[in-house]
Amino acid sequence: MTAGVLLSGCDTDQVSLATNAKANQPVPPKLLAAMAEKDMDLQSPILVRLFKQEAELEVWKQTRSGQFALLKTYPICRWSGDLGPKVREGDRQAPEGFYSINPSQMNPQSAYYLSFNTGYPNAFDKALGRTGSQLMVHGDCSSRGCYAMTDEQIAEIYSLGRESFFGGQKAFQLQAYPFKMTPVNMARHRNNPNMPFWKMIKEGYDHFEVTRQEPKVDFCEKKYVFDATKPADAKRDPVFDASAKCPAYVIPEEIASAVREKQQQDEAAVARLVAKGTPVARMNTGIDGGMNKIFAAKIPEGSTGLSEGAEGTTLQMLAMAKAPGTIPGHVNPPKPNLDSVASAPAPQEEPVVAVAAPATSTRVATAQPTEKSQEKSQGFFSNLGRKMGMGSSETTATTPPPQATASVAPAAAVTPPTAASRLKAAVTRFVPGHDKSKETAKDTAKDAKPAATVAAKPVEPAKPDTRLAQTRPALKPSVSDGAGEATQIMGAAPVISSNSFDSRFGAMK
């Protein structure tokens, strides 16, 4: 019954924009001062832009000159999925594209403090058969296909939208992008399969950049069309249908020429960056979303995920800065999807070719590494992989030490990487402060023995080793496990499972 009330709160014109104290909070004095400085009226129209990679939400507001100017940038506390558009219900993707927010989409009775519905799917999404519903921008810093802010942030954003509606704006535009559409980002993501879609919505991005006006958005032939008007000889405005053939239309020449010039400059810059060897961005499909670095710095073992992060001392310095709002104790920072990593196909490795050693009559014995050094060289994550069942069970060591080698080395067998080794490689990338090179160097130096000692040691007959492997201690829970005092953020409310995202709103996504 409660879910029904929440749903109706998102989709009915009968809901007032200011029926409770949360929805009726005034615009903060600092924002009012910023508006006065930038020649903006309190109730002038707004426009919102979202960027996943930067984990930022921008609120633009119309000045008295008629153009839009940036009022404030809000760091996004959490977004989910990957870079790229939402395709189907349940894929955890936060949408990308152009959407329209009218008063009926404002939800003052949200389970996540306050929220507004993005309007996904729009006509373009529907034409492609994309599915999904109730994709929100809301508070609570918990996301499952949404853009989540802190409660304090969404209160400000909600108040700005409310005032724009009171001022007569019928709907404000929401532009959602994978990243800021700069030449550097376009060059880095040039091999991403979503690039054709991104180039299409970049045209709308460019229209706004050159005009500082909200672009008019239409759809036809399953594509976006921006700022279309009727031809000079037409008697009525063109009628657009996302699935039908495009009608006759033109784009005003002053806009078209400015956009064309910008696109030519951007394409030339991208070509120069590619020629200079700008690396291609790594595809990280096993990571669930991102988080702005200001929030990641506040959470033990926090990670920015797919958003632009800060490393080392920078992240530590951010930990001292004031967070823009309250971070709830149940927040889940981005982390690798271990199931996805473990099930990923094994990477192809180059075959190892046997090489003949120089002819000599000297026989050199090979020292067998001890069980302790083997355990150390395997490392923490390999042990974790075996505990999770991703690797061969090795409770008893039965393999005898290798015999003395002859002058010609036999062909080395190519051993495919195990799920545990892939897990270790994937997780290590997202553990702050973990330096694999230092760990390897330390183990190598400790286990190494002088060559003269090894050569002088007599060869002993092989004996089977039947000792049981040492039992490893249980791992400490991480923040994402939601257990233990170590996961509680200072000043946050205790973690209560019944207050989780899934239990409160999971059925609506």
Side-chain angles (χ1 to χ4, degrees):
M1 184 175 181
T2 302
V5 172
L6 292 174
L7 284 172
S8 64
C10 293
D11 301 319
T12 175
D13 289 321
Q14 303 303 318
V15 176
S16 169
L17 295 175
T19 56
N20 56 37
K22 292 186 297 184
N24 200 30
Q25 294 178 69
V27 176
K30 285 187 178 181
L31 273 184
L32 292 175
M35 291 179 198
E37 181 182 347
K38 298 181 179 183
D39 198 29
M40 301 170 177
D41 292 321
L42 171 62
Q43 295 185 342
S44 66
I46 67 168
L47 181 146
V48 174
R49 298 202 302 182
L50 290 156
F51 302 98
K52 290 180 177 177
Q53 181 174 278
E54 291 80 7
E56 291 179 350
L57 181 152
E58 297 177 346
V59 175
W60 293 69
K61 198 164 179 65
Q62 194 176 62
T63 66
R64 292 187 178 96
S65 69
Q67 290 188 315
F68 281 83
L70 180 61
L71 174 62
K72 186 172 180 177
T73 299
Y74 297 86
I76 297 175
C77 193
R78 191 74 167 88
W79 60 271
S80 60
D82 199 354
L83 299 181
K86 184 172 182 64
V87 175
R88 63 184 180 279
E89 183 84 41
D91 62 5
R92 295 184 61 86
Q93 284 289 102
E96 294 176 6
F98 287 70
Y99 299 90
S100 182
I101 316 301
N102 61 50
S104 70
Q105 292 165 248
M106 306 292 282
N107 185 8
Q109 299 170 337
S110 172
Y112 302 100
Y113 198 74
L114 291 168
S115 67
F116 61 84
N117 194 318
T118 62
Y120 174 92
N122 61 20
F124 168 81
D125 300 318
K126 292 176 182 177
L128 294 180
R130 294 176 176 174
T131 58
S133 60
Q134 303 302 321
L135 280 303
M136 306 280 184
V137 176
H138 58 66
D140 201 45
C141 195
S142 297
S143 175
R144 192 178 175 185
C146 298
Y147 293 96
M149 319 299 292
T150 62
D151 292 351
E152 292 86 349
Q153 288 177 314
I154 194 63
E156 277 192 21
I157 298 167
Y158 190 97
S159 70
L160 292 170
R162 179 196 68 216
E163 294 301 324
S164 74
F165 292 136
F166 288 166
Q169 186 175 22
K170 295 182 179 179
F172 66 84
Q173 190 172 92
L174 174 73
Q175 304 176 7
Y177 300 100
F179 40 73
K180 293 186 177 179
M181 313 300 273
T182 62
V184 172
N185 283 331
M186 298 300 283
R188 291 183 63 242
H189 296 277
R190 59 188 179 272
N191 290 345
N192 193 293
N194 291 302
M195 185 51 70
F197 169 73
W198 291 340
K199 285 183 176 180
M200 180 173 60
I201 62 174
K202 181 182 181 296
E203 186 171 345
Y205 178 95
D206 292 340
H207 275 241
F208 180 72
E209 286 291 307
V210 301
T211 66
R212 287 292 188 258
Q213 298 281 355
E214 178 183 299
K216 178 176 174 287
V217 180
D218 290 297
F219 313 98
C220 61
E221 297 178 8
K222 299 181 181 180
K223 65 180 182 181
Y224 279 86
V225 177
F226 299 99
D227 289 321
T229 61
K230 63 182 180 181
D233 57 347
K235 296 181 180 180
R236 60 180 181 177
D237 292 332
V239 178
F240 288 87
D241 185 323
S243 300
K245 183 179 179 180
C246 290
Y249 70 88
V250 295
I251 298 174
E253 181 56 30
E254 62 274 15
I255 298 177
S257 60
V259 170
R260 187 163 51 246
E261 181 180 355
K262 181 182 185 302
Q263 290 177 341
Q264 290 172 351
Q265 293 174 352
D266 288 350
E267 290 169 1
V270 170
R272 288 194 298 269
L273 290 167
V274 173
K276 289 181 179 179
T278 298
V280 176
R282 179 182 298 173
M283 299 287 288
N284 293 308
T285 55
I287 306 174
D288 181 21
M291 170 181 280
N292 191 281
K293 56 191 176 184
I294 189 65
F295 296 110
K298 301 291 183 181
I299 304 171
E301 300 185 24
S303 169
T304 54
L306 295 177
S307 296
E308 290 181 340
E311 306 226 346
T313 56
T314 306
L315 199 59
Q316 294 173 1
M317 291 173 63
L318 285 173
M320 304 300 294
K322 184 179 178 180
T326 304
I327 306 175
H330 58 260
V331 63
N332 249 343
K335 57 186 180 295
N337 185 331
L338 302 185
D339 293 335
S340 174
V341 173
S343 61
Q348 298 295 324
E349 295 188 354
E350 296 182 1
V352 180
V353 181
V355 179
T360 176
S361 59
T362 305
R363 295 167 63 87
V364 181
T366 302
Q368 169 70 6
T370 64
E371 180 181 347
K372 184 176 181 180
S373 65
Q374 284 180 334
E375 180 177 339
K376 288 177 63 180
S377 64
Q378 290 169 353
F380 170 81
F381 294 99
S382 183
N383 298 336
L384 173 61
R386 287 198 298 274
K387 282 181 173 290
M388 298 176 66
M390 295 182 291
S392 58
S393 176
E394 298 179 2
T395 55
T396 305
T398 58
T399 305
Q403 304 299 321
T405 60
S407 58
V408 179
V414 179
T415 305
T418 64
S421 65
R422 296 197 303 276
L423 172 66
K424 175 180 178 180
V427 177
T428 301
R429 297 198 303 269
F430 307 100
V431 177
H434 181 75
D435 192 336
K436 182 178 177 183
S437 61
K438 293 182 180 179
E439 176 184 315
T440 304
K442 180 179 178 181
D443 291 342
T444 303
K446 187 173 181 179
D447 294 337
K449 295 182 180 180
T453 303
V454 175
K457 186 175 180 179
V459 179
E460 295 181 2
K463 293 181 181 180
D465 187 353
T466 59
R467 293 175 298 173
L468 293 176
Q470 296 179 359
T471 303
R472 295 167 177 81
L475 301 176
K476 294 183 180 180
S478 66
V479 174
S480 59
D481 296 328
E485 293 183 358
T487 65
Q488 183 66 38
I489 299 174
M490 184 177 297
V495 179
I496 303 175
S497 59
S498 62
N499 195 33
S500 67
F501 181 90
D502 292 339
S503 63
R504 288 189 290 165
F505 206 48
M508 302 180 192
K509 297 293 181 291

